[in-house]
Every structure is written in C-alpha cells, then in structure tokens.
Amino acid sequence: MILKSIQNIFHEELKSISTIEEIDSVFYMLIDHFYKVTRIQLALNPEILVENDEPILRALSMLKQQMPVQYIIGESEFYGLNFKVNEYVLIPRPETEELVAWLLNHVNPERKIKILDIGTGSGSIAISLSKHLPQAEIYAMDVSTDALHIARQNADSNAVNVEFIEADILQTTNLKNFKFDVIVSNPPYVREQEKAFMKPNVLDNEPHLALFVKDNNALQFYKAIIHFSKASLNKGGLLFFEINEYLGKEMISLLQENNYTELELKQDIYRKDRMIKGVKS
Ligand SMILES: C[S@@+](CC[C@H](N)C(=O)[O-])C[C@H]1O[C@@H](n2cnc3c(N)ncnc32)[C@H](O)[C@@H]1O
C-alpha cells in the first residue's frame, strides 16, 4: 500500500483519541522504525509504496487500544540516546531530560565523582549521565529485576559503564558502604487519587510499580532516599529529585527539615514545579 494512504487511515481511525499532530508524530516514528522511511523522504516522495503493510496496520490496532508507540516499537529516545523499553519500565519523559540537563550544569565533568540513580527503570538517567560524565562512577538501583534487565541492555547498547544494583530503597540504608557525591532520583510519585486524571495509554500500559504511591504517604520515596542519604551521601553532596508538580512546597519543607541547604525548586517547560535540588550540610 502507498504510505500516504496508510497515513490517511491512521488519521481516520485515531482521530477520536488523538490530535492530528500526535497521529502524525506516531506515524512518522512507525514508518521510520518499520520501513526506514523518514518524514522528509515521505514529504519529497508521497508515492512511496510498502510491500508489507501488516506491521504498521498491526501497530495501528495496538494504538487504537491505547498502547504507547514506544512500547509498540520497543524503543524510546532520551537525551539524544536510544533506549529499549518494555512493559517493565517507564517510558522516559522529557521532564526527566530537563532534570538530567540541570544536574549536568551542577557538576564538573573533569572530576571523578560517584553518582547514584535511585529507581533507574530503563536506565535513562544513569546512562545519559554516564555518557556526559565519562570520569564519573555511575551506579543505578532498582527494585525490579525485569527493569534492571532492560537497563543493562541499554547500558551495553549505549556503550557506557554503569553498575546496576537490585535493591529496595524502602529497606536500604547504604550500598556497600559507598558514599556518593550526587544522588538523583525520579521515584514513583503519582498519588492514587490522581489516577482519575490520567490517560489510558499511561494508566493501562506503564508499570504501576514505577508510578504510584499511596495518597496518605505521597513522599514515601523521598523520605526513604533522604534517610538513605544520611549514611550514603557525602557532606556537601547534591540531591536531585524529580517531583510531583503539586508537592513542591512539601518537598521544600522535607528537605529543610533534614538540613539540606541551597534548595532550588525548578519548573519544567510546562511551568510546573517538577524538580528540586539540595546540598547536604
Ligand atoms: C518513575 S520510575 C523512573 C524510571 C527512570 N528513572 C526514569 O526517570 O525514566 C520509578 C522507578 O522506581 C522503581 N522503584 C519502585 N519502587 C522501588 C523501590 N522500593 N526501590 C527501588 N526502586 C523502586 C521502579 O521500578 C521504577 O523503575
């Protein structure tokens, strides 16, 4: 079938659940993935024909069932790198790229520092940091064996050295008695009560282990990480968190109560309180 005709079918069949821009963006990802045809090539040659339209039409039926395109093609881009993803890992988000960029602005790439990423998932934060900080020793923790399996593959395919550790941060107060210079985390932070506002593509497909916390204990992971940092973060060390946009004030209080200084709450490009940093005193 001609790719342009398939694009028209996509528009027709997905218009009730997606915007035109979203449909086009997903369609271009799919034709690149399945047929190695780029958006520009299609624009220059709208008559491009594909012999086997079965994979892209199968993808269309998965999209209609609200499966994210990244899970359909099994990969996602983050900080200019390619990451394998599946149902055991969160699809890395643009907000988290902002966290990585912010962190990179605060460390000296020439220094041999130790960094720990807690709740690494696909390894997106740890692996991007490792690419940009070749002198640093990077560690990454997750409680999920299945997530770590993907994260290890991503470290290999991106040719970086990250030490992955399977551990539960809610039960861990130190790792091999290491002291880190930087601890970064994008932990689960969505309250159960927020489920009602979430889109089905996230709610029905992404791992709930990566997303949700109890309404009455929304800062559970931040508290555990701060507790862990008592023994495991060097004095003067940096703590970077991605946070729930509704809990910026609570996060400032939590870090103040624990004597973190030089606190900065930062908004993402959508002007939502999305990340916070502090220095251990
Ligand atoms: C929001 S996801 C972040 C994934 C990745 N760092 C990113 O930013 O795309 C949170 C991660 O925390 C992990 N996690 C959940 N509970 C945990 C626990 N008790 N200890 C360690 N990791 C945990 C999940 O498996 C998931 O990979």
Side-chain angles (χ1 to χ4, degrees), residues 210-268:
L211 289 169
F212 293 110
V213 285
K214 296 251 177 310
D215 290 345
N216 62 5
N217 203 2
L219 301 186
Q220 178 183 31
F221 283 94
Y222 302 99
K223 288 177 182 163
I225 293 167
I226 289 170
H227 183 63
F228 171 87
S229 301
K230 280 198 176 126
S232 305
L233 182 62
N234 278 324
K235 196 164 182 253
L238 300 170
L239 198 50
F240 280 88
F241 286 132
E242 183 169 321
I243 63 165
N244 184 316
E245 69 203 62
Y246 305 111
L247 300 174
K249 285 202 187 81
E250 289 81 351
M251 283 301 306
I252 290 184
S253 305
L254 181 65
L255 286 165
Q256 276 172 342
E257 283 159 21
N258 286 279
N259 301 320
Y260 279 79
T261 59
E262 298 174 48
L263 300 187
E264 263 183 82
L265 181 64
K266 191 170 156 58
Q267 295 188 329
D268 61 22

Side-chain angles (χ1 to χ4, degrees), residues 78 88-93 95-97 99-100 117-126 141-145 147-148 165-172 184-190 206-212 220-221 224-225 242:
F78 182 87
Y88 299 113
V89 299
L90 191 87
I91 297 166
R93 303 292 204 271
E95 303 86 281
T96 313
E97 294 183 303
L99 176 72
V100 169
D117 170 24
I118 298 178
T120 197
S122 62
S124 50
I125 297 176
M141 176 207 285
D142 207 290
V143 73
S144 161
T145 314
L148 287 172
I165 300 157
E166 187 173 328
D168 179 350
I169 190 59
L170 302 177
Q171 311 282 340
T172 308
V184 57
S185 183
N186 171 21
Y189 61 66
V190 183
E206 299 206 62
H208 286 200
L209 175 69
L211 289 169
F212 293 110
Q220 178 183 31
F221 283 94
I225 293 167
E242 183 169 321

Side-chain angles (χ1 to χ4, degrees), residues 2-235:
I2 289 174
L3 278 181
K4 269 284 167 200
S5 310
I6 301 180
Q7 190 171 17
N8 292 338
I9 298 175
F10 266 58
H11 279 276
E12 197 46 44
E13 303 226 354
L14 295 172
K15 68 181 177 204
S16 60
I17 53 171
S18 303
T19 65
I20 292 175
E21 293 73 22
E22 284 164 352
I23 298 169
D24 279 335
S25 144
V26 160
F27 178 76
Y28 294 129
M29 280 171 83
L30 289 169
I31 61 170
D32 191 15
H33 179 76
F34 289 127
Y35 306 115
K36 302 281 167 265
V37 173
T38 63
R39 176 192 197 118
I40 306 290
Q41 285 168 328
L42 184 63
L44 293 175
N45 183 1
E47 297 304 310
I48 292 179
L49 184 86
V50 291
E51 300 264 305
N52 180 8
D53 53 23
E54 193 264 330
I56 196 159
L57 294 178
R58 191 155 27 90
L60 173 60
S61 71
M62 293 187 220
L63 289 168
K64 282 162 72 178
Q65 291 160 39
Q66 304 273 8
M67 181 172 283
V69 65
Q70 293 89 342
Y71 287 148
I72 296 173
I73 63 177
E75 59 188 36
S76 182
E77 205 200 304
F78 182 87
Y79 221 78
L81 302 172
N82 222 40
F83 287 84
K84 182 173 174 167
V85 292
N86 67 10
E87 72 270 31
Y88 299 113
V89 299
L90 191 87
I91 297 166
R93 303 292 204 271
E95 303 86 281
T96 313
E97 294 183 303
E98 292 187 55
L99 176 72
V100 169
W102 197 36
L103 192 165
L104 285 171
N105 276 335
H106 284 81
V107 294
N108 178 349
E110 307 300 328
R111 277 192 55 214
K112 269 187 166 306
I113 53 174
K114 271 197 178 74
I115 303 182
L116 172 66
D117 170 24
I118 298 178
T120 197
S122 62
S124 50
I125 297 176
I127 291 167
S128 318
L129 290 177
S130 186
K131 265 284 176 215
H132 288 82
L133 300 171
Q135 300 294 332
E137 270 178 45
I138 314 273
Y139 298 79
M141 176 207 285
D142 207 290
V143 73
S144 161
T145 314
D146 294 316
L148 287 172
H149 183 66
I150 296 291
R152 285 196 178 92
Q153 291 180 34
N154 283 327
D156 287 347
S157 62
N158 284 297
V160 296
N161 230 331
V162 172
E163 182 165 333
F164 292 100
I165 300 157
E166 187 173 328
D168 179 350
I169 190 59
L170 302 177
Q171 311 282 340
T172 308
T173 48
N174 74 80
L175 288 175
K176 304 177 188 173
N177 290 320
F178 281 160
K179 286 234 179 225
F180 297 95
D181 301 293
V182 180
I183 292 179
V184 57
S185 183
N186 171 21
Y189 61 66
V190 183
R191 291 166 295 178
E192 300 273 347
Q193 67 188 49
E194 292 169 50
K195 272 186 181 167
F197 310 105
M198 291 175 78
K199 292 190 178 163
N201 58 346
V202 176
L203 200 54
D204 300 342
N205 291 281
E206 299 206 62
H208 286 200
L209 175 69
L211 289 169
F212 293 110
V213 285
K214 296 251 177 310
D215 290 345
N216 62 5
N217 203 2
L219 301 186
Q220 178 183 31
F221 283 94
Y222 302 99
K223 288 177 182 163
I225 293 167
I226 289 170
H227 183 63
F228 171 87
S229 301
K230 280 198 176 126
S232 305
L233 182 62
N234 278 324
K235 196 164 182 253

